[in-house]
Amino acid sequence: MQDGTTLFDQMNDRSREVFRRVVEGYLESGEPVGSRTLTRTLSEQVSAATVRNVMQDLEYLGLLDSPHVSAGRVPTELGLRLFVDGLLEVRDLDREDRTRIDATLGTNTDDVGNLLDRVGSALSGVTHGASLVLTPKHEAPIRHIEFVSLAPSRALVVLVFDDGQVENRVFTPPPGMTPSAMREAANFLNAIVEGRTLSDMRRDVVRDIAARRQEIDSLAHEMVESGLAVWAEEGDRSERLIVRGRANLLGEEAPGEDLDRIRSLFDDLERKRDIAEFLELTEGGEGVRIFIGSENKLFSLSGSSLVVSPYMNADRKIIGAVGVIGPTRLNYGRIVPIVDYTAQLVGKLLSDRK
């Protein structure tokens, strides 16, 4: 596959204008763009036959495709990528869009979960797409750990943080666990983990536990390891991905096979099956990134596009991301500033909370 620079070098001014008009027309209407339509909008007066020849050349380059023999042309994924990278005009954020986002976020007094849930609702409402919000890990120091027996085969591990937030997980305790062993395990952990974050706990505390194993009996030690395991294995994934606006991609006008692919995508997201792939999207650094169709395996089956931007804390560290999913014919010029503004706003709100 040729890169964008090589393809641009092979195109003259007329080819570039025809290409740009086809993509813009398709993004606006969702329909193939024909040569007769283009002749009315080009800056120079040329015949429809000349335009058709240019479109055939662009099709040969892999930038356009003809869905039907007698129809106009639509951009391919390669064509959309070339357009986004080289020809897309990102406009300023619309005042009405900014007002709707600001109004939906409301005050900064709610907890982080409610705040980011509203962010997702705002993004899906303003863009008429589906939104993804990757919430930050909770990195406040731990104040207290408690184990609570729910049944012989079910127990609860509760973490209380210095900022007042409480998190818990249900898990299966070791067989034969007694209330006294639970208390011993909790006391042992509290002596080690107080003042440390979850990341510290997973990284350093395991080593400390191994060195001080002789201080507790074997049953309590099994309880300690079980409690840590449930956080290490589930904590990173638990409810960190908020999906809103799913119905926006499931309209009745979509073809049946597209609906099935989109449903599969959202089923995977809601089960957190592909959250690792979404996490990787935030590792590219600051700024908005655009993934078109099969460019990212998370969206390869659904043929969707994703516009995503990380948000940062006061220390300029990436702690999460916000994004919008839609069909490949997204209005990228409008969506990009919306996602960028929302990411910056979320970062500021979370930094101010600190």
Side-chain angles (χ1 to χ4, degrees), residues 26-27 75-78 80 249 254-266 268-269 290-307 324-330 332:
Y26 171 74
L27 293 181
T76 62
E77 283 189 7
L78 176 61
L80 285 172
L249 297 188
E257 58 183 22
D258 290 347
L259 287 177
D260 290 340
R261 288 196 295 266
I262 293 170
R263 287 191 182 102
S264 176
L265 164 67
F266 278 98
D268 284 347
L269 287 172
I290 299 173
F291 297 88
I292 300 172
S294 60
E295 291 178 349
N296 182 269
K297 71 176 184 177
L298 181 60
F299 305 101
S300 60
L301 293 179
S302 66
S304 304
S305 287
L306 169 71
V307 180
V324 172
I325 304 175
T328 53
R329 67 173 204 88
L330 273 176
Y332 298 98

Side-chain angles (χ1 to χ4, degrees), residues 31-95:
E31 300 294 331
V33 179
S35 56
R36 293 190 180 278
T37 301
L38 289 178
T39 57
R40 296 193 293 267
T41 61
L42 293 176
S43 58
E44 61 174 329
Q45 291 185 349
V46 295
S47 67
T50 299
V51 173
R52 280 196 296 272
N53 289 335
V54 174
M55 294 169 76
Q56 288 174 355
D57 291 340
L58 294 171
E59 187 171 356
Y60 175 77
L61 292 174
L63 300 177
L64 299 182
D65 189 20
S66 179
H68 306 290
V69 175
S70 60
R73 302 302 198 278
V74 298
T76 62
E77 283 189 7
L78 176 61
L80 285 172
R81 170 50 60 192
L82 184 65
F83 174 82
V84 165
D85 289 345
L87 297 173
L88 177 65
E89 296 181 1
V90 177
R91 69 193 199 195
D92 293 334
L93 180 64
D94 186 86
R95 179 178 298 178

Side-chain angles (χ1 to χ4, degrees), residues 35-294:
S35 56
R36 293 190 180 278
T37 301
L38 289 178
T39 57
R40 296 193 293 267
T41 61
L42 293 176
S43 58
E44 61 174 329
Q45 291 185 349
V46 295
S47 67
T50 299
V51 173
R52 280 196 296 272
N53 289 335
V54 174
M55 294 169 76
Q56 288 174 355
D57 291 340
L58 294 171
E59 187 171 356
Y60 175 77
L61 292 174
L63 300 177
L64 299 182
D65 189 20
S66 179
H68 306 290
V69 175
S70 60
R73 302 302 198 278
V74 298
T76 62
E77 283 189 7
L78 176 61
L80 285 172
R81 170 50 60 192
L82 184 65
F83 174 82
V84 165
D85 289 345
L87 297 173
L88 177 65
E89 296 181 1
V90 177
R91 69 193 199 195
D92 293 334
L93 180 64
D94 186 86
R95 179 178 298 178
E96 182 179 347
D97 290 337
R98 181 195 298 265
T99 301
R100 289 181 63 187
I101 293 171
D102 291 343
T104 307
L105 294 183
T107 65
N108 198 19
T109 57
D110 291 346
D111 62 43
V112 172
N114 287 338
L115 173 66
L116 295 179
D117 185 74
R118 291 204 310 275
V119 168
S121 297
L123 269 180
S124 63
V126 170
T127 63
H128 304 293
S131 67
L132 300 179
V133 179
L134 183 65
T135 67
K137 296 178 182 179
H138 195 180
E139 289 298 310
I142 299 167
R143 179 186 301 168
H144 185 71
I145 292 179
E146 192 72 37
F147 292 111
V148 180
S149 177
L150 302 176
S153 60
R154 296 180 70 218
L156 193 68
V157 55
V158 182
L159 267 68
V160 181
F161 296 88
D162 272 349
D163 62 1
Q165 186 164 329
V166 178
E167 295 186 14
N168 57 71
R169 300 283 187 277
V170 176
F171 70 104
T172 302
M177 185 56 57
T178 63
S180 60
M182 283 192 174
R183 286 193 298 272
E184 184 178 1
N187 291 338
F188 176 78
L189 277 175
N190 283 321
I192 295 176
V193 305
E194 185 176 3
R196 299 189 182 186
T197 66
L198 279 176
S199 296
D200 296 335
M201 187 171 77
R202 298 187 188 108
R203 183 181 64 248
D204 302 330
V205 175
V206 173
R207 182 183 63 244
D208 294 346
I209 289 172
R212 299 172 58 177
R213 179 169 183 168
Q214 69 280 2
E215 297 181 19
I216 54 175
D217 63 30
S218 59
L219 199 58
H221 183 267
E222 289 182 43
M223 189 66 183
V224 167
E225 291 187 334
S226 297
L228 289 178
V230 74
W231 287 99
E233 294 172 4
E234 299 179 11
D236 282 347
R237 291 171 176 256
S238 176
E239 301 306 321
R240 291 199 60 209
L241 192 61
I242 301 173
V243 182
R244 293 290 178 267
R246 167 177 171 159
N248 290 334
L249 297 188
L250 297 175
E252 295 180 358
E253 69 279 1
E257 58 183 22
D258 290 347
L259 287 177
D260 290 340
R261 288 196 295 266
I262 293 170
R263 287 191 182 102
S264 176
L265 164 67
F266 278 98
D267 286 344
D268 284 347
L269 287 172
E270 290 181 356
R271 287 194 295 266
K272 313 301 186 288
R273 180 174 295 172
D274 289 306
I275 190 173
E277 281 73 14
F278 190 72
L279 283 166
E280 291 174 2
L281 304 186
T282 68
E283 296 176 357
E286 185 175 1
V288 179
R289 302 181 68 192
I290 299 173
F291 297 88
I292 300 172
S294 60

